[in-house]
Amino acid sequence: MSRLLTTLCSTICREAPLLFLAPSLATAHPVTVQAFQFSTSAIRCRRTRDNNKVRGVSAIRRTGLKQPVSMSNEPLPQPVLDPARRSPVKVDENHGLWAFFNKEKKFLTTPEAEAAHGRSWSVEELRHKSFEDLHCLWWTCAKERNRLATEKYERERVKPGYGEYEGDERDKTVRRTQRAIKHTLTERWYAYEEARKLAHEARKRSREARKLARENAKVNMRISEKGDVQNPDASEVGTSEKDANDTSSQLQQPPLNMPPMPPQSEPLRTPSAAA
């Protein structure tokens, strides 16, 4: 019996796999696993409406709105390519953009007309001008520089081959005038600041003088009040002085029952000397 059990155990051990091979043998046979998507909800899978109405609008790709609007059925204006059919454009003669061009309203000025200008304003001449005149002269120079800059840009584009030197010289003259205007205004500003400081100091000294006068008046009033308390009125002063004089005169007079005293110049005689 024991031999049979031993033979059976040895046979089972030889046929059974090793323990460390058990995991690999467990997955040897294919197992069918059911796989699902991340979301099976019908609401999430359904494509929602795009709330951005201007999405996809591009002028470069020429794409318009995805949804029709009230002006979708209106025809777009077509450019008029025939010059004879074009309507004339009315431009205001006093428009501000004309300041960027010369008086003839042309793109470029001839070198002769560009060089026909005077010298720049000096500081001595501008010192006699008012603020309104300096203001007008400054903006006249600003408009002239705008015109010169416009013509310089046009010459770089067209490349006519003339006008560069004359334009630069005129621009230098205008800039010297503007520099003189700044110098004049700076001098006036410093003069104004000095005058303001002097006026402030004068007001300060005036306030101090008034304060000192008030203090002196208070001191004099206190002194006068103290003098009135110590000294009586003028009538009382005169009466007291008269009484004092009368008293001193009565003390100096001898009594009636006594002989008069000899003068002080004579020596006094004693009874012994008389005998």
Side-chain angles (χ1 to χ4, degrees):
M1 187 68 183
S2 59
R3 290 183 180 180
L4 181 61
L5 292 175
T6 304
T7 304
L8 182 60
C9 289
S10 61
T11 304
I12 294 173
C13 291
R14 285 196 300 267
E15 294 180 358
L18 300 177
L19 295 177
F20 64 88
L21 295 179
S24 60
L25 295 176
T27 57
H29 301 283
V31 180
T32 304
V33 179
Q34 186 177 1
F36 297 95
Q37 297 180 359
F38 179 76
S39 176
T40 57
S41 176
I43 298 177
R44 294 186 179 183
C45 292
R46 182 168 55 88
R47 184 181 181 85
T48 59
R49 182 179 178 181
D50 192 359
N51 294 325
N52 189 357
K53 296 181 180 180
V54 295
R55 189 185 301 279
V57 178
S58 175
I60 299 176
R61 297 183 176 84
R62 298 181 181 182
T63 56
L65 298 173
K66 297 183 294 183
Q67 301 174 359
V69 293
S70 60
M71 300 297 294
S72 298
N73 297 328
E74 296 292 334
L76 297 176
Q78 299 295 330
V80 180
L81 303 178
D82 188 6
R85 297 177 54 189
R86 295 177 183 174
S87 59
V89 179
K90 296 181 181 180
V91 181
D92 187 8
E93 295 294 333
N94 298 323
H95 199 279
L97 291 178
W98 285 120
F100 290 86
F101 303 94
N102 52 23
K103 296 181 180 180
E104 291 79 12
K105 298 179 181 179
K106 296 181 180 179
F107 293 101
L108 296 177
T109 306
T110 60
E112 294 78 9
E114 199 71 67
H117 62 85
R119 60 174 179 83
S120 60
W121 288 77
S122 62
V123 179
E124 291 77 9
E125 295 171 344
L126 295 175
R127 285 172 181 164
H128 302 283
K129 297 295 181 180
S130 62
F131 283 101
E132 290 77 10
D133 295 339
L134 294 179
H135 181 81
C136 295
L137 182 59
W138 174 268
W139 285 110
T140 302
C141 295
K143 291 195 297 183
E144 186 68 15
R145 291 196 65 189
N146 288 337
R147 184 190 66 82
L148 294 173
T150 302
E151 292 190 1
K152 182 178 180 180
Y153 180 81
E154 189 66 17
R155 280 193 296 268
E156 291 177 357
R157 187 181 67 87
V158 180
K159 300 184 184 304
Y162 64 88
E164 289 84 1
Y165 175 78
E166 291 79 6
D168 294 341
E169 290 297 322
R170 187 157 188 157
D171 186 63
K172 292 179 183 178
T173 304
V174 175
R175 283 188 293 172
R176 281 195 292 267
T177 300
Q178 289 184 323
R179 192 180 301 113
I181 293 173
K182 287 184 178 180
H183 185 88
T184 305
L185 294 177
T186 304
E187 289 182 349
R188 293 185 182 184
W189 183 81
Y190 279 114
Y192 168 77
E193 286 295 322
E194 293 178 359
R196 186 181 63 82
K197 291 179 181 179
L198 291 176
H200 179 71
E201 293 176 359
R203 288 194 297 268
K204 185 178 180 180
R205 289 195 296 268
S206 178
R207 288 194 297 267
E208 292 177 355
R210 289 196 297 269
K211 183 178 179 180
L212 183 60
R214 288 194 298 269
E215 292 178 355
N216 293 336
K218 291 180 181 179
V219 171
N220 295 333
M221 186 179 297
R222 292 173 184 173
I223 293 174
S224 62
E225 291 177 356
K226 289 181 180 179
D228 294 341
V229 172
Q230 294 177 1
N231 300 326
D233 296 337
S235 59
E236 296 178 357
V237 172
T239 305
S240 62
E241 290 179 355
K242 185 177 180 180
D243 296 340
N245 293 330
D246 295 342
T247 304
S248 61
S249 61
Q250 291 177 2
L251 293 174
Q252 291 177 2
Q253 292 180 0
L256 296 176
N257 55 357
M258 292 183 64
M261 295 182 65
Q264 295 181 1
S265 60
E266 295 181 0
L268 294 177
R269 295 180 181 181
T270 61
S272 59

